[in-house]
Amino acid sequence: MDFTFVSDDLALDFAATLTWRTSYPIELLAEPADLAAWATQSGLTERPGRVSRAALDRARLLREAIYRTAAAAERGDEADAADVRLIRDEARGSQVTVALIALGESERRGDIGAVLATVATRAGELFGGPNRRLVRHCAGESCTRFFLDRSRTGSRRWCDKSSCGSRANASAYRRRKSTALPPGGKQDR
């Protein structure tokens, strides 16, 4: 499985491992191996080790707490106290570390517990700091991803211009073309 990292924040990318939440939910962390793959593809660790079913369950709980907290941040609401507590408690664990191997070479080390602690720490930094005001929900039809809007004007609409943005533009183009044609679908010459 290939994961997408377009949110401009690792915690928000982690929250997007359940896609299309409101229309056709797809669980990207279906098996423990999926969580290990996410940890590797995210760049957090090169070898997450064996991932248990319990660790996968913990990861999903953390993901949902991050997602709900992102939704609250976007609305400008208070986050649920239980979600804040879960994120804070998970962040107390040992973090992923960077080990220098040689000049120009390092390795990120940590098991899946360290990966979850690091994701929770990143979520705490995001939601506890000024960047929480940059959290946006993708305007793409059916997309449920959050992202950070770092655009100069604060007007970014899509999580990813090449996917959701491209689909929205193509749909708008088709609508314009279909309404521009007279009945029968042929233009007068």
Side-chain angles (χ1 to χ4, degrees), residues 84-156:
V84 170
R85 188 172 37 258
L86 191 149
I87 293 168
R88 184 178 56 238
D89 290 348
E90 195 66 54
R92 288 188 180 128
S94 297
Q95 305 283 311
V96 169
T97 60
V98 178
L100 179 64
I101 304 301
L103 188 59
E105 183 182 357
S106 64
E107 180 180 77
R108 298 181 72 77
R109 295 179 179 169
D111 63 8
I112 208 64
V115 167
L116 295 179
T118 302
V119 169
T121 297
R122 299 269 183 95
E125 291 169 346
L126 171 62
F127 300 130
N131 284 343
R132 73 185 181 286
R133 294 184 191 100
L134 303 178
V135 174
R136 302 286 185 274
H137 188 270
C138 182
E141 187 176 330
S142 301
C143 184
T144 55
R145 180 183 285 271
F146 286 101
F147 62 91
L148 291 186
D149 180 2
R150 295 186 191 273
S151 67
R152 188 177 355 197
T153 60
S155 59
R156 181 175 159 192

Side-chain angles (χ1 to χ4, degrees), residues 14-94:
F14 187 66
T17 58
L18 177 62
T19 64
W20 312 106
R21 289 168 179 264
T22 58
S23 57
Y24 182 71
I26 300 172
E27 176 60 75
L28 300 181
L29 300 179
E31 297 296 327
D34 299 329
L35 180 55
W38 186 90
T40 303
Q41 289 177 34
S42 72
L44 277 177
T45 186
E46 279 116 48
R47 291 184 292 276
R50 184 182 170 283
V51 178
S52 67
R53 182 64 61 179
L56 178 61
D57 292 342
R58 262 182 48 217
R60 288 179 182 161
L61 289 173
L62 175 62
R63 176 190 65 197
E64 295 309 304
I66 292 170
Y67 191 86
R68 289 187 297 267
T69 304
E74 192 215 13
R75 292 187 310 265
D77 292 345
E78 289 293 318
D80 182 87
D83 290 335
V84 170
R85 188 172 37 258
L86 191 149
I87 293 168
R88 184 178 56 238
D89 290 348
E90 195 66 54
R92 288 188 180 128
S94 297

